Amino acid sequence: MNHSLSVGMEVPPLHKGPVTHTDLVKYSGASGDFNPIHTVESFAIEAGLGGVIAHGMLTMAYVGQMLTDFAGVDADLVDFRVRFRAMVRPGDTVVCRGVVSGIKEDDSGSLVTLQVDAETQRQETVVKGTATLRYR
Amino acid sequence: MDNSIVGVWSQPVANVVERGAVRKFADAIGDPNPLYRDEEYARGTRFGRLIAPPTFCRTFDFGIIEGLDIAQEGLIHGEQSFHFERPIYVGEELWCSECLTDTYTRSGGSGKMTFLILEQKGETKDGELVFTSRANVIRKEGPDA
């Protein structure tokens, strides 16, 4: 059991961005998601989005980074779920946050649940979800 | 949508977790974690080898669900979840498949929307389950559809 954790404890926030067009091209290539709404400005405008938007999975990866940074080499991420609530656009900065919401002990260690979210500089919540870390 | 495809899993596809692909993915998300790229460091941890960032498993080839025609354009990613039995190791081979587990249509102010629940899993060749994931995607049919 990790005795340094307690319910209500905040995860060190992770600041990402500003997101650039290059970031979106790189993520398209690395993920294989070549939907042009993320990379082609004219296409995204035509699609009614007002310009390119970041992949939801890129924002989720940012939150994932905050979680794996927090877990270090002591814990495994076992559950991670988010709801995508708003769009991230080039120029946006994103801050990922988490708070410990529960700690449960079992035979093989402890399960730590967290509430997580990510917010842009517009104070708009872009993703919100939960995660579980297992400390062995 | 043809509902007879609900519940039918794709033929599993072998995916090798390539070292270069993992490093490129970690670079693309701006994550400098040495567990994804520094072999010597990773060997000294309890993992014993390089691992992949959790959301990397979204990039796998999950095969084709026969009869499921989802044009990527016009799809909205509503929710995403992952469950891991253990970390994903660089160099391992995972057999990945996908299933449309539910679909339903709702009408709203902005027209008709089709909801698709897609589940994925990744297993070793010996059938050890490594991860499951679920994506809820929404297709806007528009007011005319």
Side-chain angles (χ1 to χ4, degrees):
Chain A
M1 156 78 203
N2 189 320
H3 290 284
S4 62
L5 294 179
S6 58
V7 172
M9 179 186 228
E10 286 180 18
V11 176
L14 178 69
H15 296 265
K16 302 289 283 188
V19 176
T20 65
H21 282 90
T22 306
D23 290 338
L24 304 188
V25 172
K26 277 169 76 178
Y27 188 78
S28 295
S31 69
D33 179 349
F34 292 106
N35 189 329
I37 60 169
H38 304 302
T39 48
V40 182
E41 196 70 21
S42 58
F43 184 92
I45 290 167
E46 187 77 12
L49 296 167
V52 297
I53 59 167
H55 308 71
M57 286 307 301
L58 177 60
T59 311
M60 188 175 188
Y62 292 164
V63 179
Q65 181 185 350
M66 173 195 70
L67 288 166
T68 49
D69 281 354
F70 185 63
V73 293
D74 300 325
D76 288 326
L77 181 64
V78 290
D79 277 301
F80 183 21
R81 61 186 60 207
V82 300
R83 183 169 285 198
F84 299 103
R85 295 163 52 118
M87 292 177 277
V88 173
R89 298 176 182 280
D92 285 350
T93 55
V94 176
V95 57
C96 305
R97 297 174 305 208
V99 59
V100 175
S101 58
I103 300 176
K104 209 167 66 185
E105 305 290 330
D106 69 14
D107 295 344
S108 57
S110 52
L111 286 171
V112 175
T113 52
L114 304 110
Q115 305 294 317
V116 296
D117 66 23
E119 190 184 272
T120 62
Q121 77 286 355
R122 294 185 297 275
Q123 270 91 52
E124 193 171 32
T125 303
V126 284
V127 306
K128 199 173 172 63
T130 59
T132 305
L133 299 175
R134 174 180 287 284
Y135 287 82
R136 292 173 197 278
Chain B
M1 173 142 330
D2 173 10
N3 272 12
S4 69
I5 61 168
V6 172
V8 181
W9 285 84
S10 66
Q11 200 64 31
V13 175
N15 287 261
V16 176
V17 182
E18 287 168 11
R19 188 188 158 130
V22 167
R23 199 196 55 238
K24 244 179 226 161
F25 186 87
D27 286 347
I29 65 175
D31 188 340
N33 196 329
L35 284 170
Y36 308 143
R37 42 172 78 76
D38 184 339
E39 197 138 25
E40 204 176 307
Y41 169 83
R43 234 193 325 262
T45 68
R46 73 184 164 88
F47 303 111
R49 51 179 145 168
L50 294 172
I51 61 171
T55 62
F56 180 77
C57 56
R58 174 86 185 165
T59 71
F60 291 144
D61 180 355
F62 291 93
I64 292 158
I65 298 172
E66 292 295 340
L68 179 64
D69 176 31
I70 41 171
Q72 210 187 25
E73 288 155 24
L75 284 184
I76 299 161
H77 199 175
E79 289 178 48
Q80 177 69 40
S81 70
F82 295 100
H83 174 78
F84 300 97
E85 296 294 330
R86 61 159 173 79
I88 291 160
Y89 298 123
V90 167
E92 75 174 328
E93 182 181 78
L94 293 177
W95 289 77
C96 300
S97 56
E98 182 169 44
C99 178
L100 176 69
T101 55
D102 197 11
T103 179
Y104 49 92
T105 301
R106 294 278 181 274
S107 296
S110 57
K112 211 172 85 169
M113 295 195 295
T114 300
F115 291 75
L116 304 163
I117 316 298
L118 290 154
E119 294 192 11
Q120 299 85 24
K121 62 181 174 185
E123 298 175 323
T124 65
K125 194 166 52 121
D126 302 326
E128 177 204 358
L129 182 68
V130 176
F131 75 89
T132 55
S133 57
R134 194 178 65 229
N136 296 21
V137 296
I138 305 154
R139 184 170 57 194
K140 279 195 169 174
E141 312 286 4
D144 309 321

